[in-house]
């Protein structure tokens, strides 16, 4: 029996808003002329060195969709049947196979985890520079938007995924739902609260960078400090980049 969808028919104005957001983000990506930088130059160089040395590669999809009438970011919670990061919030994605591009890998893994219907609704609007996961894998984030409404209840995910949830952009940009936490080995990193599960680690770091890049305010962050050279992932140094406030991002995104 098919699961009940959220609504029988999404509003036309909502679809137009998502279309405008997709066009705006794609235009800003084109103006930038390259992937959105998530790291300062010196740290990005270290990631490039590790890639040249043969580090394993992966890609994730950062899905933005109209969920219940609101532009939202979609997350999955990994199940206990995966080999790493069990029960943690993540973006769909996985390792890049031989002969694949990161873009192809992100969509293939998304289809495997969340189904073909979910994957087919998204179109790429941006890409971020590579970042280094705590496992040593180099990860390429791909940003995609779905203009038609996404019904979370209809997603038939694989056994790798325990559940799927979405948080509106408004929620993610609320100061009360964003914190900075300092870890012994990773430095100071963003954490997103207020959802079914805490968003932290590499997922929160990528999300923070995507929100900043989408607001056309370069690669600035929440004012995160630089961790040690051995910590992963590496946020930009606050001495090199000015702090990005929630109001800054909200105002810039509203221009879309």
């Amino acid at each position: 029996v098919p699961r009940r969808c959220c609504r029988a028919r999404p509003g036309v104005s909502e679809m137009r808003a998502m279309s405008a957001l997709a066009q705006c983000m794609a235009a800003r990506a084109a103006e930038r002329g390259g992937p959105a930088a998530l790291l300062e130059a010196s740290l990005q160089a270290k990631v490039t060195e590790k890639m040249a040395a043969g580090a394993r590669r992966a890609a994730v999809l950062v899905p933005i969709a109209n969920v219940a009438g609101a532009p939202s970011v979609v997350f999955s919670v990994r199940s206990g049947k995966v080999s790493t990061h069990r029960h943690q919030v993540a973006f769909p994605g996985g390792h890049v196979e031989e002969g694949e591009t990161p873009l192809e890998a992100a969509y293939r893994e998304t289809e495997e985890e969340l189904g073909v219907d979910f994957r087919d609704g998204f179109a790429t609007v941006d890409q971020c520079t590579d970042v280094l996961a705590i496992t040593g894998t180099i990860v390429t984030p791909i940003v995609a938007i779905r203009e038609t409404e996404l019904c979370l209840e209809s997603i038939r995910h694989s056994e790798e995924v325990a559940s799927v949830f979405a948080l509106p952009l408004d929620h993610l940009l609320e100061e009360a739902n964003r914190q900075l936490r300092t870890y012994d080995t990773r430095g100071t990193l963003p954490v997103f609260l207020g959802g079914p599960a805490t968003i932290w680690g590499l997922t929160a770091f990528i999300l923070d960078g995507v929100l900043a890049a989408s607001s056309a305010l370069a690669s600035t962050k929440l004012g995160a400090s630089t961790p040690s050279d051995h910590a992963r992932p590496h946020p930009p140094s606050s001495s090199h980049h000015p702090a990005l406030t929630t109001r800054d991002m909200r105002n810039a995104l509203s221009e879309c």
Side-chain angles (χ1 to χ4, degrees), residues 4 35 42 45 48 119 122 161 183 189 225 246 252:
R4 183 177 61 83
S42 61
T48 302
R119 175 253 181 272
F122 286 89
V161 177
Y183 301 88
L189 296 170
S225 61
T246 297

Side-chain angles (χ1 to χ4, degrees), residues 66-174:
N66 169 18
V67 179
S72 306
V73 180
V74 184
F75 306 90
S76 64
V77 178
R78 293 168 66 83
S79 72
K81 299 182 179 182
V82 294
S83 59
T84 58
H85 309 300
R86 294 185 180 94
H87 310 298
Q88 293 184 18
V89 177
F91 291 122
H95 288 109
V96 178
E97 296 183 351
E98 185 176 357
E100 270 188 327
T101 65
L103 179 68
E104 292 169 337
Y107 278 104
R108 174 183 54 77
E109 287 283 348
T110 295
E111 180 177 329
E112 292 177 4
E113 293 178 19
L114 301 179
V116 64
D117 291 340
F118 181 94
R119 175 253 181 272
D120 283 347
F122 286 89
T124 304
V125 294
D126 206 353
Q127 180 172 327
C128 301
T129 53
D130 301 319
V131 293
L132 195 62
I134 194 69
T135 58
T137 300
I138 294 173
V139 181
T140 304
I142 307 295
V143 185
I145 284 185
R146 175 186 176 121
E147 297 182 12
T148 56
E149 185 175 34
L150 174 65
C151 296
L152 298 183
E153 295 90 339
S154 69
I155 298 175
R156 299 186 178 278
H157 54 75
S158 71
E159 293 184 348
E160 296 179 8
V161 177
S163 60
V164 180
F165 68 94
L167 292 176
L169 289 176
D170 277 351
H171 173 98
L172 296 169
L173 293 174
E174 280 291 342

